[in-house]
Amino acid sequence: MRSLRRRTGEAFGLLLVFTIVGLSRVWPPKWKLRRIAASAEVRAEREAAAEGLLARVREIEAGVPWLRPLDVVIRDECVDVRGHHISLFGAGPSKKSMTCRMSAFIVFSPDRDPEDAVAEIHRTFPPPDGLSPGGISESLHWDTDERKVAVEVAHDALWARLTRRHGEKSLGQLRQENGALCVWALHGGKYFTVV
């Protein structure tokens, strides 16, 4: 009889552990994370992040006079960063539930070969590969025969917004009207995290 009680107690203990681990992976629930992403607190952080990115965009536009943006796209998203395939006996789940991040993309079409335009930017302006003084990670990309530049929101975002300075033309429409596109990408990192 004691053996049965002990086994029942062990089974209950194991069930409790699995329940706690399972709940820790879904708490807070996604609806609550969406509510947090739309809150006034996050909105204030979002506005500060946008101002930092837009200040750097203005710097770039002033520093490269021939660069005429066809569009400036701001991608803002909050994503669930909890691990989905973590073993109970492997690494523990992430301590973070959600992170919000923002990026800006300056879309332009040079009046020359995109590789020549990028080479000129590297010669006449601080190289964008790496971190700028504001902690913004920057890179340049351009259309090639194998790959076209893209600006997309994460498909699994809890909250997302894509805004454009010059209207709602897609990159495909801009490419048809202007030829090969270049994108100067500025990634501002995480501006809000839910632990």
Side-chain angles (χ1 to χ4, degrees), residues 15-29 82 93 97:
L15 181 62
L16 184 61
V17 166
F18 280 113
T19 302
I20 290 170
V21 169
L23 286 176
S24 71
R25 292 186 184 173
V26 296
W27 189 261
R82 296 176 286 203
S97 298

Side-chain angles (χ1 to χ4, degrees), residues 1-194:
M1 192 66 149
R2 286 184 185 172
S3 175
L4 180 61
R5 283 187 199 157
R6 189 176 71 230
R7 287 185 188 170
T8 303
E10 288 171 355
F12 179 73
L14 257 170
L15 181 62
L16 184 61
V17 166
F18 280 113
T19 302
I20 290 170
V21 169
L23 286 176
S24 71
R25 292 186 184 173
V26 296
W27 189 261
K30 288 189 181 222
W31 66 265
K32 186 166 185 162
L33 292 175
R34 285 186 190 97
R35 183 177 290 170
I36 292 169
S39 70
E41 178 185 6
V42 176
R43 217 173 13 253
E45 295 294 327
R46 182 172 289 131
E47 288 169 10
E51 185 51 43
L53 278 174
L54 291 173
R56 180 64 181 145
V57 167
R58 289 188 293 272
E59 245 179 76
I60 291 167
E61 290 173 325
V64 185
W66 59 263
L67 189 150
R68 300 279 181 262
L70 299 171
D71 208 350
V72 175
V73 180
I74 303 291
R75 181 181 70 198
D76 185 5
E77 57 194 5
C78 295
V79 294
D80 186 340
V81 293
R82 296 176 286 203
H84 298 289
H85 303 290
I86 297 173
S87 164
L88 176 64
F89 303 106
S94 170
K95 301 242 187 270
K96 297 175 186 168
S97 298
M98 178 180 74
T99 59
C100 299
R101 57 189 179 223
M102 188 178 296
S103 300
F105 303 90
I106 304 170
V107 180
F108 62 101
S109 181
D111 56 357
R112 65 199 97 164
D113 181 83
E115 288 187 44
D116 294 339
V118 169
E120 183 179 336
I121 289 170
H122 280 282
R123 278 193 310 273
T124 61
F125 203 73
D129 295 322
L131 288 178
S132 71
I136 298 169
S137 170
E138 300 182 31
S139 60
L140 282 165
H141 307 276
W142 57 92
D143 285 344
T144 65
D145 290 337
E146 298 81 36
R147 189 168 157 251
K148 304 297 183 202
V149 293
V151 176
E152 298 169 355
V153 174
H155 68 278
D156 59 347
L158 295 167
W159 184 96
R161 181 176 61 190
L162 205 63
T163 55
R164 293 178 159 88
R165 180 195 286 173
H166 297 297
E168 294 301 316
K169 287 186 179 178
S170 70
L171 292 184
Q173 291 169 311
L174 292 174
R175 192 174 285 115
Q176 281 182 329
E177 294 171 6
N178 301 283
L181 297 179
C182 291
V183 172
W184 193 319
L186 300 91
H187 303 287
K190 301 174 183 107
Y191 63 83
F192 191 85
T193 300
V194 175

